[in-house]
Amino acid sequence: RIAAIDALEILDSRGNPTVRVFVELENGIRSCASVPSGASTGENEAIELRDNNSTRYNGKGVRTAVDNVTKIIAPEIIGIKAEDQAVIDRLMIELDGSENKANLGANAILGVSMAVTRAAAESLGMPLYRYLGGSGACRLPVPMMNILNGGAHADNSVDFQEYMAVPIGFDTFSEGLRAIAETFHALKKLLNSRGLATGVGDEGGFAPNLGSNEEAMEVILEAIAKAGYQPGSDIAMSLDSAASSFSPDLKSTYDLQWSKGGALTSQQMVDLVCKWVADYPIVSWEDPLAEGDWDGFAQITERIGNTVQIVGDDIFVTNPRYIKQGVDWLTANSVLIKLNQIGTVTETIEAIRLCRDAGWTYVISHRSGETEDTFIADFAVAMDGGQIKTGSASRSDRVAKYNRLLEIEHHLGQDARYYWKR
Ligand code: PGA
Ligand code: ZN
């Protein structure tokens, strides 16, 4: 049973405050969890509570959320068994009382939810992936490594937010990871040789100023080949254009820096995505359109959904309500899963269940603001979706997740599985 709960304001990978929660059980087990934070957030995400006190951290302090954990949530859940995750999550949702966790803050609620999961796993003496996934949880996810950053995650001239290398032609996670890490190094050399900047963006990928969005794709394909791999069969590409960030009305116009004739219409954006998919070895495309452009999403899915995974992030915000609507309307065929978009472990698992029932894939994801917490690594193995997106081969906030996956693979030994399938 839960004996005590404590919380603390800590820093995320962008130097902004976030919430860390400690849970202590009566049997002496202590666990902790830290909450991530996004930059290109969807409008319908659960609310991340900030103090808005401009004299601290530019208003981004989270002391209120911390207080909500220790003063409001803790008294209600102390005494409940940590294994009763659904009960605890439900209780917090009721305590909050709003649609989007605006009162207590999704950062307060999720911190408790994750720390409770960990405490339960630890008190049963199980690794987190086994506790959440059962004895069958032995599949390592294929990583989508974000090696070139643009959009809201970097101050460069690239519109699309994430260019990711996906090791699809390997037999083990560690070999796949090695291939994309080598590609990351090859890319650095290539950029260097062209006099381009090799500083990194929020998710650890390079953030050079390039002449076009296509040039980003070309230089990565070159890096894959330079690293000794076959683009398309060994390593494929995945994109997150995070299109809401360059669509002022979030649905019908797309303001790309490199489009010659001014802003694109939704139809032109759909055509552009289809052309790229025909021209390049792309296996997955996240948020090709803005979060309000449900028609455009459906059109893209109809045109190229058979060959490419169309992932909804800002449009679904890991919320079962929007995912259901998406399934009904054939809006996409995959969902990006971020725990803090919805705010509890239970609701996140519910979102994943909906994807499975619909025959959709799902990608477990970090946020652009992260911490050293590796919860999502275990979560990806437990949820058995076979895909994770957790940044580049630099920045410890990203690499920590890869290292945890290597550790899980090592522990699983002969039982570990790894394959690409969508
Ligand atoms: P965010 O970016 O964490 O800044 O929202 C990640 C993504 O868009 O997938
Ligand atoms: Zn995204």
Side-chain angles (χ1 to χ4, degrees):
R1 291 180 189 276
I2 295 171
I5 293 184
D6 196 7
L8 184 69
E9 183 183 64
I10 61 163
L11 292 184
D12 73 12
S13 57
R14 274 192 282 250
N16 294 322
T18 189
V19 179
R20 173 170 291 174
V21 174
F22 299 91
V23 165
E24 190 175 335
L25 304 184
E26 284 170 357
N27 62 12
I29 296 279
R30 274 175 67 89
S31 71
C32 102
S34 306
V35 179
S37 171
S40 61
T41 49
E43 299 253 293
N44 295 315
E45 290 193 19
I47 299 294
E48 178 181 78
L49 200 63
R50 300 276 179 195
D51 297 339
N52 296 321
N53 166 0
S54 59
T55 65
R56 295 187 74 247
Y57 289 118
N58 303 310
K60 291 189 172 171
V62 292
R63 281 181 170 172
T64 323
V66 163
D67 279 352
N68 289 347
V69 172
T70 54
K71 300 202 173 108
I72 301 178
I73 297 173
E76 295 295 325
I77 68 169
I78 283 172
I80 303 179
K81 277 199 270 181
E83 290 94 313
D84 289 339
Q85 182 86 43
V87 172
I88 291 168
D89 287 345
R90 181 64 40 208
L91 224 159
M92 290 193 287
I93 292 165
E94 280 165 14
L95 265 180
D96 172 80
S98 72
E99 266 288 297
N100 55 1
K101 304 186 176 66
N103 293 326
L104 297 177
N107 40 356
I109 293 173
L110 181 64
V112 175
S113 187
M114 284 161 59
V116 162
T117 316
R118 270 221 175 93
E122 279 170 34
S123 77
L124 292 170
M126 285 184 194
L128 187 56
Y129 69 90
R130 175 69 24 98
Y131 171 68
L132 283 174
S135 56
C138 53
R139 179 177 173 200
L140 275 299
V142 175
M144 297 182 170
M145 183 178 275
N146 181 9
I147 56 179
L148 202 145
N149 298 184
H153 291 173
D155 299 320
N156 61 357
S157 61
V158 174
D159 292 298
F160 296 161
Q161 184 176 281
E162 304 170 19
Y163 289 76
M164 295 168 278
V166 192
I168 58 172
F170 299 85
D171 295 330
T172 62
F173 173 79
S174 39
E175 283 302 289
L177 182 65
R178 177 168 74 85
I180 47 179
E182 289 170 1
T183 301
F184 172 79
H185 292 294
L187 179 59
K188 182 170 188 174
K189 265 196 201 140
L190 263 177
L191 293 174
N192 238 326
S193 71
R194 291 177 194 178
L196 292 162
T198 53
V200 297
D202 288 351
E203 298 187 347
F206 301 114
N209 276 316
L210 299 173
S212 69
N213 294 312
E214 282 86 348
E215 196 182 331
M217 186 58 97
E218 300 288 351
V219 73
I220 292 172
L221 293 176
E222 222 180 303
I224 293 172
K226 272 253 155 48
Y229 299 102
Q230 195 67 42
S233 55
D234 292 332
I235 300 178
M237 291 301 301
S238 160
L239 290 173
D240 177 6
S241 37
S244 297
S245 64
F246 50 82
S247 174
D249 67 350
L250 297 181
K251 65 168 186 273
S252 61
T253 54
Y254 296 91
D255 220 345
L256 292 172
Q257 296 180 63
W258 299 108
S259 71
K260 290 164 190 85
L264 302 185
T265 62
S266 172
Q267 187 59 52
Q268 287 171 318
M269 196 67 212
V270 169
D271 291 342
L272 185 144
V273 169
C274 293
K275 179 171 172 5
W276 272 49
V277 166
D279 290 351
Y280 299 117
I282 295 169
V283 290
S284 178
W285 197 316
E286 180 185 331
D287 285 356
L289 295 159
E291 62 185 85
D293 196 353
W294 286 67
D295 291 341
F297 255 96
Q299 206 198 123
I300 279 201
T301 305
E302 196 188 340
R303 276 175 64 178
I304 54 173
N306 276 337
T307 48
V308 181
Q309 176 174 271
I310 303 295
V311 189
D313 171 13
D314 292 349
I315 187 171
F316 299 135
V317 290
T318 317
N319 189 322
R321 194 171 120 208
Y322 301 111
I323 296 170
K324 265 188 208 137
Q325 199 165 100
V327 168
D328 286 348
W329 295 358
L330 307 175
T331 306
N333 56 32
S334 184
V335 178
L336 199 77
I337 301 289
K338 293 166 166 167
L339 288 139
N340 81 325
Q341 279 183 328
I342 185 73
T344 63
V345 173
T346 304
E347 289 164 290
T348 308
I349 294 173
E350 164 68 7
I352 290 169
R353 201 182 54 74
L354 286 173
C355 297
R356 283 202 192 117
D357 289 352
W360 284 22
T361 54
Y362 46 95
V363 183
I364 308 300
S365 173
H366 64 163
R367 298 308 305 246
S368 52
E370 267 292 337
T371 69
E372 61 273 39
D373 191 305
T374 59
F375 192 97
I376 59 164
D378 283 73
F379 194 65
V381 175
M383 294 298 117
D384 198 29
Q387 299 185 50
I388 192 169
K389 174 172 116 154
T390 188
S392 192
S394 77
R395 300 188 66 128
S396 302
D397 38 302
R398 314 295 145 182
V399 173
K401 279 70 162 175
Y402 291 122
N403 288 343
R404 173 60 186 153
L405 287 166
L406 288 170
E407 207 171 83
I408 295 174
E409 181 185 50
H410 181 70
H411 290 157
L412 285 169
Q414 289 294 316
D415 292 332
R417 298 281 173 273
Y418 179 85
Y419 52 89
W420 167 256
K421 177 171 173 281
R422 65 157 282 253

